[in-house]
PDB file of all heavy atoms in Angstrom:
ATOM      1  N   MET A  16     -56.850 110.822 114.484  1.00 96.00           N
ATOM      2  CA  MET A  16     -56.767 110.505 113.068  1.00 96.00           C
ATOM      3  C   MET A  16     -57.277 109.090 112.778  1.00 96.00           C
ATOM      4  O   MET A  16     -58.006 108.872 111.819  1.00 96.00           O
ATOM      5  CB  MET A  16     -55.316 110.667 112.584  1.00 96.00           C
ATOM      6  CG  MET A  16     -54.848 112.105 112.546  1.00 96.00           C
ATOM      7  SD  MET A  16     -53.080 112.330 112.266  1.00 96.00           S
ATOM      8  CE  MET A  16     -52.770 111.292 110.864  1.00 96.00           C
ATOM      9  N   LEU A  17     -56.940 108.153 113.660  1.00 97.00           N
ATOM     10  CA  LEU A  17     -57.423 106.767 113.509  1.00 97.00           C
ATOM     11  C   LEU A  17     -58.932 106.721 113.636  1.00 97.00           C
ATOM     12  O   LEU A  17     -59.607 106.033 112.874  1.00 97.00           O
ATOM     13  CB  LEU A  17     -56.765 105.856 114.521  1.00 97.00           C
ATOM     14  CG  LEU A  17     -57.221 104.388 114.457  1.00 97.00           C
ATOM     15  CD1 LEU A  17     -56.878 103.755 113.105  1.00 97.00           C
ATOM     16  CD2 LEU A  17     -56.610 103.586 115.584  1.00 97.00           C
ATOM     17  N   GLN A  18     -59.484 107.469 114.583  1.00 97.00           N
ATOM     18  CA  GLN A  18     -60.942 107.493 114.761  1.00 97.00           C
ATOM     19  C   GLN A  18     -61.622 108.000 113.520  1.00 97.00           C
ATOM     20  O   GLN A  18     -62.644 107.472 113.095  1.00 97.00           O
ATOM     21  CB  GLN A  18     -61.347 108.335 115.974  1.00 97.00           C
ATOM     22  CG  GLN A  18     -62.833 108.278 116.275  1.00 97.00           C
ATOM     23  CD  GLN A  18     -63.332 106.883 116.536  1.00 97.00           C
ATOM     24  OE1 GLN A  18     -62.823 106.174 117.398  1.00 97.00           O
ATOM     25  NE2 GLN A  18     -64.347 106.440 115.798  1.00 97.00           N
ATOM     26  N   LYS A  19     -61.063 109.064 112.896  1.00 96.00           N
ATOM     27  CA  LYS A  19     -61.629 109.607 111.664  1.00 96.00           C
ATOM     28  C   LYS A  19     -61.610 108.542 110.577  1.00 96.00           C
ATOM     29  O   LYS A  19     -62.583 108.345 109.849  1.00 96.00           O
ATOM     30  CB  LYS A  19     -60.816 110.838 111.240  1.00 96.00           C
ATOM     31  CG  LYS A  19     -61.389 111.557 110.045  1.00 96.00           C
ATOM     32  CD  LYS A  19     -60.603 112.848 109.788  1.00 96.00           C
ATOM     33  CE  LYS A  19     -61.211 113.665 108.683  1.00 96.00           C
ATOM     34  NZ  LYS A  19     -60.706 113.291 107.364  1.00 96.00           N
ATOM     35  N   THR A  20     -60.498 107.808 110.474  1.00 97.00           N
ATOM     36  CA  THR A  20     -60.393 106.725 109.467  1.00 97.00           C
ATOM     37  C   THR A  20     -61.454 105.651 109.751  1.00 97.00           C
ATOM     38  O   THR A  20     -62.145 105.203 108.818  1.00 97.00           O
ATOM     39  CB  THR A  20     -58.984 106.107 109.536  1.00 97.00           C
ATOM     40  OG1 THR A  20     -58.015 107.094 109.234  1.00 97.00           O
ATOM     41  CG2 THR A  20     -58.828 104.953 108.526  1.00 97.00           C
ATOM     42  N   LEU A  21     -61.580 105.239 111.004  1.00 97.00           N
ATOM     43  CA  LEU A  21     -62.568 104.186 111.361  1.00 97.00           C
ATOM     44  C   LEU A  21     -63.994 104.648 111.063  1.00 97.00           C
ATOM     45  O   LEU A  21     -64.820 103.851 110.604  1.00 97.00           O
ATOM     46  CB  LEU A  21     -62.435 103.807 112.836  1.00 97.00           C
ATOM     47  CG  LEU A  21     -61.148 103.091 113.211  1.00 97.00           C
ATOM     48  CD1 LEU A  21     -61.074 102.924 114.741  1.00 97.00           C
ATOM     49  CD2 LEU A  21     -61.035 101.740 112.537  1.00 97.00           C
ATOM     50  N   ASP A  22     -64.252 105.939 111.307  1.00 96.00           N
ATOM     51  CA  ASP A  22     -65.598 106.497 111.041  1.00 96.00           C
ATOM     52  C   ASP A  22     -65.959 106.438 109.571  1.00 96.00           C
ATOM     53  O   ASP A  22     -67.145 106.362 109.227  1.00 96.00           O
ATOM     54  CB  ASP A  22     -65.694 107.954 111.541  1.00 96.00           C
ATOM     55  CG  ASP A  22     -65.722 108.072 113.057  1.00 96.00           C
ATOM     56  OD1 ASP A  22     -65.985 107.041 113.737  1.00 96.00           O
ATOM     57  OD2 ASP A  22     -65.459 109.178 113.562  1.00 96.00           O
ATOM     58  N   GLU A  23     -64.984 106.455 108.695  1.00 96.00           N
ATOM     59  CA  GLU A  23     -65.210 106.417 107.266  1.00 96.00           C
ATOM     60  C   GLU A  23     -65.313 104.996 106.713  1.00 96.00           C
ATOM     61  O   GLU A  23     -65.607 104.813 105.551  1.00 96.00           O
ATOM     62  CB  GLU A  23     -64.051 107.158 106.546  1.00 96.00           C
ATOM     63  CG  GLU A  23     -63.984 108.637 106.840  1.00 96.00           C
ATOM     64  CD  GLU A  23     -62.701 109.295 106.323  1.00 96.00           C
ATOM     65  OE1 GLU A  23     -61.822 108.578 105.789  1.00 96.00           O
ATOM     66  OE2 GLU A  23     -62.621 110.529 106.422  1.00 96.00           O
ATOM     67  N   MET A  24     -65.097 104.014 107.560  1.00 96.00           N
ATOM     68  CA  MET A  24     -65.070 102.630 107.122  1.00 96.00           C
ATOM     69  C   MET A  24     -66.356 101.884 107.535  1.00 96.00           C
ATOM     70  O   MET A  24     -67.015 102.251 108.510  1.00 96.00           O
ATOM     71  CB  MET A  24     -63.876 101.881 107.727  1.00 96.00           C
ATOM     72  CG  MET A  24     -62.552 102.448 107.315  1.00 96.00           C
ATOM     73  SD  MET A  24     -61.157 101.607 108.104  1.00 96.00           S
ATOM     74  CE  MET A  24     -61.245  99.995 107.322  1.00 96.00           C
ATOM     75  N   VAL A  25     -66.655 100.799 106.799  1.00 95.00           N
ATOM     76  CA  VAL A  25     -67.692  99.862 107.211  1.00 95.00           C
ATOM     77  C   VAL A  25     -66.942  98.651 107.719  1.00 95.00           C
ATOM     78  O   VAL A  25     -66.349  97.913 106.949  1.00 95.00           O
ATOM     79  CB  VAL A  25     -68.604  99.486 106.008  1.00 95.00           C
ATOM     80  CG1 VAL A  25     -69.611  98.441 106.438  1.00 95.00           C
ATOM     81  CG2 VAL A  25     -69.286 100.710 105.456  1.00 95.00           C
ATOM     82  N   LEU A  26     -66.934  98.504 109.035  1.00 95.00           N
ATOM     83  CA  LEU A  26     -66.166  97.432 109.656  1.00 95.00           C
ATOM     84  C   LEU A  26     -67.043  96.221 109.901  1.00 95.00           C
ATOM     85  O   LEU A  26     -68.237  96.353 110.174  1.00 95.00           O
ATOM     86  CB  LEU A  26     -65.561  97.923 110.976  1.00 95.00           C
ATOM     87  CG  LEU A  26     -64.541  99.043 110.858  1.00 95.00           C
ATOM     88  CD1 LEU A  26     -64.248  99.684 112.178  1.00 95.00           C
ATOM     89  CD2 LEU A  26     -63.262  98.519 110.215  1.00 95.00           C
ATOM     90  N   PRO A  27     -66.444  95.012 109.817  1.00 95.00           N
ATOM     91  CA  PRO A  27     -67.227  93.798 110.049  1.00 95.00           C
ATOM     92  C   PRO A  27     -67.581  93.512 111.516  1.00 95.00           C
ATOM     93  O   PRO A  27     -68.385  92.679 111.807  1.00 95.00           O
ATOM     94  CB  PRO A  27     -66.328  92.694 109.496  1.00 95.00           C
ATOM     95  CG  PRO A  27     -64.938  93.230 109.614  1.00 95.00           C
ATOM     96  CD  PRO A  27     -65.074  94.722 109.451  1.00 95.00           C
ATOM     97  N   TYR A  28     -66.929  94.267 112.433  1.00 96.00           N
ATOM     98  CA  TYR A  28     -67.157  94.047 113.864  1.00 96.00           C
ATOM     99  C   TYR A  28     -67.378  95.395 114.559  1.00 96.00           C
ATOM    100  O   TYR A  28     -66.879  96.418 114.115  1.00 96.00           O
ATOM    101  CB  TYR A  28     -65.933  93.364 114.495  1.00 96.00           C
ATOM    102  CG  TYR A  28     -65.442  92.156 113.748  1.00 96.00           C
ATOM    103  CD1 TYR A  28     -64.216  92.152 113.131  1.00 96.00           C
ATOM    104  CD2 TYR A  28     -66.239  91.021 113.633  1.00 96.00           C
ATOM    105  CE1 TYR A  28     -63.752  91.044 112.424  1.00 96.00           C
ATOM    106  CE2 TYR A  28     -65.809  89.917 112.921  1.00 96.00           C
ATOM    107  CZ  TYR A  28     -64.570  89.934 112.318  1.00 96.00           C
ATOM    108  OH  TYR A  28     -64.127  88.837 111.625  1.00 96.00           O
ATOM    109  N   PRO A  29     -68.093  95.380 115.660  1.00 97.00           N
ATOM    110  CA  PRO A  29     -68.300  96.614 116.426  1.00 97.00           C
ATOM    111  C   PRO A  29     -66.979  97.046 117.082  1.00 97.00           C
ATOM    112  O   PRO A  29     -66.133  96.221 117.409  1.00 97.00           O
ATOM    113  CB  PRO A  29     -69.355  96.255 117.470  1.00 97.00           C
ATOM    114  CG  PRO A  29     -69.241  94.767 117.615  1.00 97.00           C
ATOM    115  CD  PRO A  29     -68.805  94.230 116.280  1.00 97.00           C
ATOM    116  N   VAL A  30     -66.838  98.350 117.275  1.00 97.00           N
ATOM    117  CA  VAL A  30     -65.660  98.924 117.909  1.00 97.00           C
ATOM    118  C   VAL A  30     -66.051  99.501 119.263  1.00 97.00           C
ATOM    119  O   VAL A  30     -66.980 100.267 119.389  1.00 97.00           O
ATOM    120  CB  VAL A  30     -65.035 100.055 117.050  1.00 97.00           C
ATOM    121  CG1 VAL A  30     -63.833 100.675 117.754  1.00 97.00           C
ATOM    122  CG2 VAL A  30     -64.636  99.517 115.684  1.00 97.00           C
ATOM    123  N   GLU A  31     -65.313  99.055 120.300  1.00 97.00           N
ATOM    124  CA  GLU A  31     -65.506  99.590 121.655  1.00 97.00           C
ATOM    125  C   GLU A  31     -64.345 100.529 121.966  1.00 97.00           C
ATOM    126  O   GLU A  31     -63.188 100.100 121.938  1.00 97.00           O
ATOM    127  CB  GLU A  31     -65.565  98.421 122.657  1.00 97.00           C
ATOM    128  CG  GLU A  31     -65.836  98.851 124.061  1.00 97.00           C
ATOM    129  CD  GLU A  31     -65.934  97.666 125.034  1.00 97.00           C
ATOM    130  OE1 GLU A  31     -66.372  96.571 124.594  1.00 97.00           O
ATOM    131  OE2 GLU A  31     -65.558  97.843 126.182  1.00 97.00           O
ATOM    132  N   ASN A  32     -64.652 101.795 122.214  1.00 97.00           N
ATOM    133  CA  ASN A  32     -63.605 102.780 122.517  1.00 97.00           C
ATOM    134  C   ASN A  32     -63.258 102.750 123.990  1.00 97.00           C
ATOM    135  O   ASN A  32     -64.150 102.801 124.847  1.00 97.00           O
ATOM    136  CB  ASN A  32     -64.108 104.185 122.154  1.00 97.00           C
ATOM    137  CG  ASN A  32     -64.264 104.313 120.624  1.00 97.00           C
ATOM    138  OD1 ASN A  32     -63.334 104.104 119.888  1.00 97.00           O
ATOM    139  ND2 ASN A  32     -65.448 104.682 120.194  1.00 97.00           N
ATOM    140  N   ILE A  33     -61.956 102.674 124.260  1.00 98.00           N
ATOM    141  CA  ILE A  33     -61.471 102.623 125.663  1.00 98.00           C
ATOM    142  C   ILE A  33     -60.414 103.715 125.821  1.00 98.00           C
ATOM    143  O   ILE A  33     -59.387 103.713 125.158  1.00 98.00           O
ATOM    144  CB  ILE A  33     -60.881 101.240 125.979  1.00 98.00           C
ATOM    145  CG1 ILE A  33     -61.968 100.180 125.848  1.00 98.00           C
ATOM    146  CG2 ILE A  33     -60.265 101.236 127.384  1.00 98.00           C
ATOM    147  CD1 ILE A  33     -61.442  98.787 125.725  1.00 98.00           C
ATOM    148  N   ASP A  34     -60.739 104.676 126.703  1.00 98.00           N
ATOM    149  CA  ASP A  34     -59.799 105.745 127.029  1.00 98.00           C
ATOM    150  C   ASP A  34     -58.848 105.243 128.107  1.00 98.00           C
ATOM    151  O   ASP A  34     -59.287 104.909 129.211  1.00 98.00           O
ATOM    152  CB  ASP A  34     -60.580 106.978 127.502  1.00 98.00           C
ATOM    153  CG  ASP A  34     -59.709 108.191 127.714  1.00 98.00           C
ATOM    154  OD1 ASP A  34     -58.589 108.039 128.298  1.00 98.00           O
ATOM    155  OD2 ASP A  34     -60.088 109.308 127.324  1.00 98.00           O
ATOM    156  N   ILE A  35     -57.555 105.182 127.807  1.00 98.00           N
ATOM    157  CA  ILE A  35     -56.593 104.588 128.735  1.00 98.00           C
ATOM    158  C   ILE A  35     -56.460 105.419 130.031  1.00 98.00           C
ATOM    159  O   ILE A  35     -56.053 104.893 131.045  1.00 98.00           O
ATOM    160  CB  ILE A  35     -55.196 104.404 128.106  1.00 98.00           C
ATOM    161  CG1 ILE A  35     -54.610 105.727 127.650  1.00 98.00           C
ATOM    162  CG2 ILE A  35     -55.262 103.391 126.964  1.00 98.00           C
ATOM    163  CD1 ILE A  35     -53.116 105.655 127.370  1.00 98.00           C
ATOM    164  N   ASP A  36     -56.801 106.695 129.967  1.00 97.00           N
ATOM    165  CA  ASP A  36     -56.724 107.544 131.169  1.00 97.00           C
ATOM    166  C   ASP A  36     -57.926 107.312 132.078  1.00 97.00           C
ATOM    167  O   ASP A  36     -57.835 107.477 133.281  1.00 97.00           O
ATOM    168  CB  ASP A  36     -56.660 109.013 130.779  1.00 97.00           C
ATOM    169  CG  ASP A  36     -55.341 109.350 130.080  1.00 97.00           C
ATOM    170  OD1 ASP A  36     -54.295 108.763 130.437  1.00 97.00           O
ATOM    171  OD2 ASP A  36     -55.352 110.195 129.162  1.00 97.00           O
ATOM    172  N   LYS A  37     -59.055 106.932 131.494  1.00 97.00           N
ATOM    173  CA  LYS A  37     -60.274 106.679 132.275  1.00 97.00           C
ATOM    174  C   LYS A  37     -60.397 105.207 132.711  1.00 97.00           C
ATOM    175  O   LYS A  37     -61.083 104.898 133.673  1.00 97.00           O
ATOM    176  CB  LYS A  37     -61.510 107.087 131.480  1.00 97.00           C
ATOM    177  CG  LYS A  37     -61.572 108.586 131.231  1.00 97.00           C
ATOM    178  CD  LYS A  37     -62.770 108.975 130.397  1.00 97.00           C
ATOM    179  CE  LYS A  37     -62.759 110.497 130.157  1.00 97.00           C
ATOM    180  NZ  LYS A  37     -63.609 110.872 129.052  1.00 97.00           N
ATOM    181  N   GLN A  38     -59.740 104.326 131.966  1.00 97.00           N
ATOM    182  CA  GLN A  38     -59.806 102.864 132.268  1.00 97.00           C
ATOM    183  C   GLN A  38     -58.376 102.285 132.279  1.00 97.00           C
ATOM    184  O   GLN A  38     -58.099 101.362 131.500  1.00 97.00           O
ATOM    185  CB  GLN A  38     -60.688 102.153 131.258  1.00 97.00           C
ATOM    186  CG  GLN A  38     -62.159 102.594 131.338  1.00 97.00           C
ATOM    187  CD  GLN A  38     -62.998 101.844 130.328  1.00 97.00           C
ATOM    188  OE1 GLN A  38     -63.011 102.210 129.170  1.00 97.00           O
ATOM    189  NE2 GLN A  38     -63.677 100.808 130.771  1.00 97.00           N
ATOM    190  N   PRO A  39     -57.519 102.783 133.166  1.00 97.00           N
ATOM    191  CA  PRO A  39     -56.113 102.297 133.156  1.00 97.00           C
ATOM    192  C   PRO A  39     -56.018 100.805 133.497  1.00 97.00           C
ATOM    193  O   PRO A  39     -55.083 100.128 133.022  1.00 97.00           O
ATOM    194  CB  PRO A  39     -55.414 103.173 134.197  1.00 97.00           C
ATOM    195  CG  PRO A  39     -56.527 103.660 135.066  1.00 97.00           C
ATOM    196  CD  PRO A  39     -57.747 103.793 134.191  1.00 97.00           C
ATOM    197  N   ASP A  40     -56.931 100.280 134.304  1.00 96.00           N
ATOM    198  CA  ASP A  40     -56.865  98.857 134.671  1.00 96.00           C
ATOM    199  C   ASP A  40     -57.054  97.979 133.434  1.00 96.00           C
ATOM    200  O   ASP A  40     -56.357  96.991 133.258  1.00 96.00           O
ATOM    201  CB  ASP A  40     -57.929  98.519 135.703  1.00 96.00           C
ATOM    202  CG  ASP A  40     -57.649  99.194 137.054  1.00 96.00           C
ATOM    203  OD1 ASP A  40     -56.542  99.739 137.237  1.00 96.00           O
ATOM    204  OD2 ASP A  40     -58.548  99.178 137.929  1.00 96.00           O
ATOM    205  N   LEU A  41     -58.019  98.363 132.564  1.00 95.00           N
ATOM    206  CA  LEU A  41     -58.281  97.575 131.346  1.00 95.00           C
ATOM    207  C   LEU A  41     -57.085  97.680 130.393  1.00 95.00           C
ATOM    208  O   LEU A  41     -56.687  96.697 129.787  1.00 95.00           O
ATOM    209  CB  LEU A  41     -59.562  98.087 130.658  1.00 95.00           C
ATOM    210  CG  LEU A  41     -60.177  97.169 129.631  1.00 95.00           C
ATOM    211  CD1 LEU A  41     -60.413  95.759 130.146  1.00 95.00           C
ATOM    212  CD2 LEU A  41     -61.467  97.762 129.123  1.00 95.00           C
ATOM    213  N   ALA A  42     -56.503  98.872 130.293  1.00 96.00           N
ATOM    214  CA  ALA A  42     -55.308  99.036 129.459  1.00 96.00           C
ATOM    215  C   ALA A  42     -54.173  98.152 129.978  1.00 96.00           C
ATOM    216  O   ALA A  42     -53.485  97.502 129.190  1.00 96.00           O
ATOM    217  CB  ALA A  42     -54.884 100.498 129.435  1.00 96.00           C
ATOM    218  N   GLY A  43     -54.024  98.094 131.307  1.00 96.00           N
ATOM    219  CA  GLY A  43     -53.004  97.218 131.882  1.00 96.00           C
ATOM    220  C   GLY A  43     -53.270  95.765 131.655  1.00 96.00           C
ATOM    221  O   GLY A  43     -52.362  94.996 131.370  1.00 96.00           O
ATOM    222  N   GLU A  44     -54.520  95.371 131.761  1.00 96.00           N
ATOM    223  CA  GLU A  44     -54.920  93.983 131.557  1.00 96.00           C
ATOM    224  C   GLU A  44     -54.539  93.521 130.172  1.00 96.00           C
ATOM    225  O   GLU A  44     -54.171  92.359 129.968  1.00 96.00           O
ATOM    226  CB  GLU A  44     -56.458  93.876 131.772  1.00 96.00           C
ATOM    227  CG  GLU A  44     -57.016  92.494 131.646  1.00 96.00           C
ATOM    228  CD  GLU A  44     -58.523  92.485 131.815  1.00 96.00           C
ATOM    229  OE1 GLU A  44     -59.042  93.254 132.661  1.00 96.00           O
ATOM    230  OE2 GLU A  44     -59.187  91.722 131.114  1.00 96.00           O
ATOM    231  N   PHE A  45     -54.639  94.416 129.173  1.00 96.00           N
ATOM    232  CA  PHE A  45     -54.314  94.068 127.791  1.00 96.00           C
ATOM    233  C   PHE A  45     -52.880  94.381 127.429  1.00 96.00           C
ATOM    234  O   PHE A  45     -52.470  94.211 126.303  1.00 96.00           O
ATOM    235  CB  PHE A  45     -55.288  94.739 126.803  1.00 96.00           C
ATOM    236  CG  PHE A  45     -56.598  94.031 126.695  1.00 96.00           C
ATOM    237  CD1 PHE A  45     -57.663  94.392 127.525  1.00 96.00           C
ATOM    238  CD2 PHE A  45     -56.788  92.995 125.805  1.00 96.00           C
ATOM    239  CE1 PHE A  45     -58.878  93.743 127.442  1.00 96.00           C
ATOM    240  CE2 PHE A  45     -57.991  92.321 125.735  1.00 96.00           C
ATOM    241  CZ  PHE A  45     -59.034  92.691 126.541  1.00 96.00           C
ATOM    242  N   GLY A  46     -52.107  94.894 128.409  1.00 97.00           N
ATOM    243  CA  GLY A  46     -50.696  95.190 128.143  1.00 97.00           C
ATOM    244  C   GLY A  46     -50.505  96.290 127.095  1.00 97.00           C
ATOM    245  O   GLY A  46     -49.575  96.226 126.298  1.00 97.00           O
ATOM    246  N   ILE A  47     -51.346  97.301 127.156  1.00 97.00           N
ATOM    247  CA  ILE A  47     -51.280  98.383 126.177  1.00 97.00           C
ATOM    248  C   ILE A  47     -50.063  99.276 126.546  1.00 97.00           C
ATOM    249  O   ILE A  47     -49.994  99.772 127.651  1.00 97.00           O
ATOM    250  CB  ILE A  47     -52.587  99.226 126.165  1.00 97.00           C
ATOM    251  CG1 ILE A  47     -53.784  98.342 125.818  1.00 97.00           C
ATOM    252  CG2 ILE A  47     -52.438 100.415 125.216  1.00 97.00           C
ATOM    253  CD1 ILE A  47     -53.693  97.618 124.489  1.00 97.00           C
ATOM    254  N   ARG A  48     -49.159  99.419 125.594  1.00 95.00           N
ATOM    255  CA  ARG A  48     -47.920 100.169 125.844  1.00 95.00           C
ATOM    256  C   ARG A  48     -47.914 101.479 125.082  1.00 95.00           C
ATOM    257  O   ARG A  48     -47.074 102.338 125.310  1.00 95.00           O
ATOM    258  CB  ARG A  48     -46.732  99.326 125.497  1.00 95.00           C
ATOM    259  CG  ARG A  48     -46.688  98.043 126.278  1.00 95.00           C
ATOM    260  CD  ARG A  48     -45.457  97.303 125.993  1.00 95.00           C
ATOM    261  NE  ARG A  48     -44.286  98.057 126.480  1.00 95.00           N
ATOM    262  CZ  ARG A  48     -43.428  97.586 127.353  1.00 95.00           C
ATOM    263  NH1 ARG A  48     -43.539  96.382 127.823  1.00 95.00           N
ATOM    264  NH2 ARG A  48     -42.416  98.333 127.733  1.00 95.00           N
ATOM    265  N   GLY A  49     -48.820 101.634 124.110  1.00 95.00           N
ATOM    266  CA  GLY A  49     -48.889 102.856 123.325  1.00 95.00           C
ATOM    267  C   GLY A  49     -50.254 102.980 122.684  1.00 95.00           C
ATOM    268  O   GLY A  49     -50.946 101.971 122.525  1.00 95.00           O
ATOM    269  N   VAL A  50     -50.635 104.200 122.368  1.00 97.00           N
ATOM    270  CA  VAL A  50     -51.910 104.428 121.717  1.00 97.00           C
ATOM    271  C   VAL A  50     -51.700 105.190 120.406  1.00 97.00           C
ATOM    272  O   VAL A  50     -50.713 105.897 120.272  1.00 97.00           O
ATOM    273  CB  VAL A  50     -52.883 105.214 122.648  1.00 97.00           C
ATOM    274  CG1 VAL A  50     -53.353 104.358 123.782  1.00 97.00           C
ATOM    275  CG2 VAL A  50     -52.279 106.491 123.158  1.00 97.00           C
ATOM    276  N   PRO A  51     -52.554 104.963 119.418  1.00 98.00           N
ATOM    277  CA  PRO A  51     -53.705 104.059 119.461  1.00 98.00           C
ATOM    278  C   PRO A  51     -53.321 102.611 119.273  1.00 98.00           C
ATOM    279  O   PRO A  51     -52.337 102.301 118.606  1.00 98.00           O
ATOM    280  CB  PRO A  51     -54.559 104.544 118.282  1.00 98.00           C
ATOM    281  CG  PRO A  51     -53.535 105.085 117.301  1.00 98.00           C
ATOM    282  CD  PRO A  51     -52.447 105.680 118.129  1.00 98.00           C
ATOM    283  N   THR A  52     -54.080 101.719 119.898  1.00 98.00           N
ATOM    284  CA  THR A  52     -53.921 100.277 119.707  1.00 98.00           C
ATOM    285  C   THR A  52     -55.310  99.678 119.463  1.00 98.00           C
ATOM    286  O   THR A  52     -56.245  99.940 120.255  1.00 98.00           O
ATOM    287  CB  THR A  52     -53.274  99.614 120.918  1.00 98.00           C
ATOM    288  OG1 THR A  52     -51.968 100.152 121.109  1.00 98.00           O
ATOM    289  CG2 THR A  52     -53.188  98.105 120.781  1.00 98.00           C
ATOM    290  N   LEU A  53     -55.413  98.866 118.425  1.00 98.00           N
ATOM    291  CA  LEU A  53     -56.635  98.102 118.162  1.00 98.00           C
ATOM    292  C   LEU A  53     -56.378  96.666 118.549  1.00 98.00           C
ATOM    293  O   LEU A  53     -55.339  96.092 118.205  1.00 98.00           O
ATOM    294  CB  LEU A  53     -57.003  98.172 116.669  1.00 98.00           C
ATOM    295  CG  LEU A  53     -57.296  99.531 116.067  1.00 98.00           C
ATOM    296  CD1 LEU A  53     -57.528  99.412 114.570  1.00 98.00           C
ATOM    297  CD2 LEU A  53     -58.509 100.172 116.746  1.00 98.00           C
ATOM    298  N   VAL A  54     -57.356  96.051 119.260  1.00 98.00           N
ATOM    299  CA  VAL A  54     -57.231  94.658 119.662  1.00 98.00           C
ATOM    300  C   VAL A  54     -58.490  93.950 119.165  1.00 98.00           C
ATOM    301  O   VAL A  54     -59.610  94.375 119.452  1.00 98.00           O
ATOM    302  CB  VAL A  54     -57.109  94.507 121.185  1.00 98.00           C
ATOM    303  CG1 VAL A  54     -57.083  93.044 121.595  1.00 98.00           C
ATOM    304  CG2 VAL A  54     -55.852  95.210 121.692  1.00 98.00           C
TER     305      VAL A  54
END
Side-chain angles (χ1 to χ4, degrees):
M16 290 170 48
L17 178 62
Q18 184 59 55
K19 185 174 185 272
T20 300
L21 292 173
D22 289 343
E23 295 170 354
M24 298 177 69
V25 176
L26 296 167
Y28 311 114
V30 177
E31 183 178 328
N32 293 304
I33 298 162
D34 186 316
I35 61 164
D36 294 324
K37 293 178 182 163
Q38 295 180 279
D40 294 348
L41 195 54
E44 182 182 323
F45 280 92
I47 301 303
R48 301 184 67 122
V50 289
T52 297
L53 299 176
V54 177

